[in-house]
Each structure stands twice: as structure tokens, then as C-alpha cells.
Amino acid sequence: MSQPDLPNDPGPSLRARVAAIEPALTAIRRDLHAHPELGFETVRTAGIVADELRRLGLAPRTGIGRTGVVAEIEGGAPGPCLLIRADMDALPMQELTGLPYASSIPGRMHACGHDLHTATLLGVAAALLAEAPRLRGSIRLVFQPAEETSESGAEAMIADGAADGADMALTLHNRPEMPVGSFGLTQGASTAACDDFEVTVRGTSGHAARPHAAADPIVAAALMVAGLQTVISREMNPAESAVLTVGHIAGGSTHNIIPDSCLFRGTVRSRSPAARDRAEAGLRRVCQGVALAQNVAVDIDYLRGVPPLMNDPALVARAMQSLAAQFGTAPRLEPGRSFGAEDFSYFTERMPGLQLYVGAGQPGRDDRVHNSNYQPDEGSIGLGATALARLAVDLLS
């Protein structure tokens, strides 16, 4: 069977296809927004995604990573596999927007725009199906649960084979700080590694009036907390910035007793593997050194979480060219500054990857994600779908 002729420039046809389905994508987004689901509980959302993919003629696989969905678009010739991922889960917070399609579930809200991302990737699927004959390779659509939770949906989907055989990966994130119609890319790390620590200082209890007969874990913990600030300010290369924050401390039960133990917890954010290793080593050394000096014992539980999301330089360069060709203006290219975490980084540990920022700011609003009144511009759905579809076509043509 002969393949249909496709224009050399895919730009106009991609734009037209997405424009034709944009009202439907907006309706899907509003439905998802009104019915937010948390973590791995994205059962209804995954069902809607799978039904839409079947309506397009695809054969989605469900239950990947517990509640994720995966579908493949085969190109007209052999070639690499390009994975494109969208996250689906909401946040445990009350919505205060007052919109007609506001969350119908108390204490849950799509305040990070994952409803936008899900609708956008459905638009990418629809746009790329007609372009499949020109593609050398395949597209893997990955709809992921549990990006906002400590137990990563990306890890769960990868464990179920979602990344097997993929050669490169793309994702998007809406940015309310950027006006709708604009795009952004970062060089190097797009987001930071997110590690957690818990330090337990063990001393010897005693009367507050006789501290010489005790070993005070509170004083030792205070010295550790203060000393940890020098790990960042005096040990880290300013070009490899990191953040170390103690967010919880607890010890003792009353005013006149030196307790047996004191505990503090915190987080470390870093933007390169080298900075990540240096921060952990510094934390351990400071805590152990203070413990030795103060004649107490210390237990350090350091949990490495999401790694930094590293943008591949070749994919960044290609995205700059593709989006400039599609929209007439290149994306804004800037050094990475975010210390937020994003578990798409588990995909980019395994293959070259890229996170595209899609402007979603409405004129006259000063929005931010994870805010109970967050109202992104829905025009970002069609624009994001067009951008990712064009980049996919250019990477596989």
C-alpha cells in the first residue's frame, strides 16, 4: 500500500490539526480538572486517556506502573524510539478559583497543571498519527501517575518496562511566569536532585541544673544545624549551587531535663551529580565531627531521591531550531535556576532527554504553580501540542 504524500514543511498541517481538536482538548482538560486524582490513584484519569487513545485508533496498554498508560505510534520506516511523557496526578490542596469546572473533590486540586499536560499529550498523539508515514522510528506516549509523591510514578513505570527500547525522551511543563505563546529551555539541569536526611543525636539525659553529668544532644544538634550552612556557603562551587534546609527539629519534653536524644530533618537540592555527592559528604562530615567534639553519638539517615533532570545539549539545540521554524521565534534559552524536583529525571538518567517549558500565564495575572488560585491559560494546550509534535517530526524525519 502506498503511503500518502505529506508536505515537506509539516508546520502548517500540524498547526491545523491541533487547532481542529483544540476545543475537545480543552474540554478534556476541564473534565480532568474537575475530577483530580492523587498519586497512583489516577484510575479515572487513566481511563479517559485510554479511551481517547483507542478512539484515535491506538492500542494503549494500561496498568503500567500501577495506573499509567502507554501507547505506540509506529513510523513509516525503522528508526529510533522517541518517548514523550505527561504526568497526570493532582495535589492534596483545596481549590479556591471559583471556576465553573473547579475541583469537585474537597482537598484536591490540579494546582500544578498536570491536567494541561495530559490534554496536551493527547493532542500530540492526534497530530502525530497523520504524520506517521514520514517518521523514521516510533513514538511512545507515556501518561504517568504519581509525579507529586515521594514514591515516584516514573520509577514504577520504568520498572514495568515503559522505558525499554526508548532512545530519547521529551516532556513538558507549563510555566505561569511566562506568557502564553512563549516557550523556554534550559542548558544543563532543568530541575534539581531532591534528597532527604534525618539526623538523630544520642546523648545522655540528666538534670538541667547539672549539665556536666549529662551529654546534651540539643546543644550538639544546634551546632550541627548551624555548621551545615557552611557546607553550601564555604564548600560548594557557586557555579554548582545547592540548597540545604533543615525543616524540622525535635528534642526534649520539658524545661528542666536534658533529653537522651534530639532529631532533625531536612532536604538537600543540587543541580549536578558532583554537587550532590559533595553536599552529602559535607553533611556527614559536619555531623560526625560535631558528635565527636560534643561526646555524643549520631545516626545519619540520608535518602537519595529524584536525581537532577539533565537536558541533553543536542536535543536543546534541535528544539531551538524546530520551534523557531514552527513559530517564527526561538524559545527563551537560559541557565537552569530551578531547585524544584521532577521525576522525569529517572528517564533522562537512561537516555538523552529534554524538558520543554510552555508559557501559560494569563495577561494581568500573577500566577504560580502549587497555589490554590492557580489559573493557567488553556491556550497553552494547543501550543504545547504543536511544539512537541513538531519537535518529534523533526527528530524522526
Side-chain angles (χ1 to χ4, degrees):
M1 180 183 295
S2 62
Q3 299 288 0
D5 291 334
L6 293 170
N8 290 330
D9 180 7
S13 58
L14 286 173
R15 189 181 306 116
R17 285 192 205 101
V18 173
I21 61 172
E22 202 163 356
L25 297 176
T26 300
I28 290 171
R29 181 261 164 166
R30 292 185 177 189
D31 182 22
L32 298 179
H33 191 87
H35 302 89
E37 295 176 303
L38 305 179
F40 287 99
E41 300 171 6
T42 54
V43 176
R44 181 182 184 276
T45 303
I48 290 172
V49 166
D51 287 346
E52 286 298 313
L53 294 172
R54 293 187 191 100
R55 188 182 61 78
L56 292 172
L58 297 172
R61 292 180 289 136
T62 60
I64 309 300
R66 290 157 63 173
T67 51
V69 182
V70 175
E72 310 276 346
I73 298 175
E74 295 296 334
C81 174
L82 171 63
L83 183 154
I84 311 178
R85 171 271 210 177
D87 36 21
M88 301 188 293
D89 57 325
L91 286 161
M93 56 189 295
Q94 186 67 32
E95 179 164 357
L96 300 177
T97 64
L99 293 167
Y101 50 89
S103 173
S104 61
I105 304 174
R108 297 184 181 184
M109 178 187 176
H110 269 295
C112 200
H114 295 185
D115 49 347
L116 294 174
H117 302 167
T118 301
T120 298
L121 189 52
L122 288 172
V124 172
L128 287 178
L129 274 169
E131 297 289 334
R134 79 157 78 231
L135 302 181
R136 296 181 180 275
S138 61
I139 304 289
R140 181 172 301 164
L141 307 165
V142 174
F143 295 84
Q144 180 204 307
E147 191 277 326
E148 297 285 4
T149 57
S150 57
E151 187 180 2
S152 165
E155 278 196 305
M157 294 197 77
I158 289 168
D160 277 358
D164 291 357
D167 299 288
M168 47 190 164
L170 306 175
T171 194
L172 78 156
H173 206 292
N174 72 95
R175 285 285 291 271
E177 311 96 297
M178 296 165 48
V180 67
S182 63
F183 299 93
L185 292 165
T186 57
Q187 296 276 25
S190 181
T191 60
C194 178
D195 301 331
D196 297 329
F197 60 86
E198 179 175 294
V199 178
T200 303
V201 184
R202 304 190 186 281
T204 303
S205 58
H207 198 294
R210 293 186 287 275
H212 61 283
D216 195 332
I218 291 181
V219 170
L223 290 170
M224 290 177 191
V225 171
L228 287 178
Q229 305 313 305
T230 65
V231 173
I232 304 302
S233 66
R234 288 298 176 267
E235 297 189 33
M236 303 296 293
N237 183 337
E240 294 182 348
S241 54
V243 172
L244 191 160
T245 297
V246 174
H248 171 81
I249 188 166
S253 58
T254 189
H255 67 284
N256 63 346
I257 299 173
I258 293 171
D260 285 304
S261 66
C262 182
L263 173 147
F264 61 91
R265 300 185 179 97
T267 186
V268 175
R269 305 294 175 99
S270 52
R271 296 181 48 80
S272 74
R276 191 182 202 187
D277 291 342
R278 194 173 295 118
E280 180 181 354
L283 180 144
R284 291 183 180 279
R285 190 187 65 257
V286 167
C287 292
Q288 290 164 353
V290 170
L292 181 63
Q294 295 296 311
N295 195 30
V296 296
V298 64
D299 298 325
I300 302 169
D301 186 8
Y302 196 98
L303 178 63
R304 288 208 170 198
V306 176
L309 195 169
M310 304 301 293
N311 281 337
D312 178 73
L315 287 177
V316 170
R318 193 60 184 271
M320 294 288 288
Q321 297 171 353
S322 293
L323 271 63
Q326 181 69 39
F327 298 102
T329 304
R332 186 172 71 190
L333 183 62
E334 58 188 32
R337 299 186 181 92
S338 171
F339 280 92
E342 161 63 77
D343 73 352
F344 181 69
S345 55
Y346 287 118
F347 289 100
T348 64
E349 276 194 323
R350 289 161 172 77
M351 67 194 79
L354 172 74
Q355 182 179 58
L356 174 68
Y357 290 123
V358 180
Q362 292 197 53
R365 289 189 60 86
D366 182 20
D367 270 319
R368 60 192 184 276
V369 296
H370 291 223
N371 179 268
S372 57
N373 195 37
Y374 181 40
Q375 298 179 45
D377 194 312
E378 293 176 323
S380 62
I381 298 172
L383 290 163
T386 303
L388 286 174
R390 175 57 187 264
L391 180 52
V393 169
D394 288 350
L395 287 170
L396 299 183
S397 293

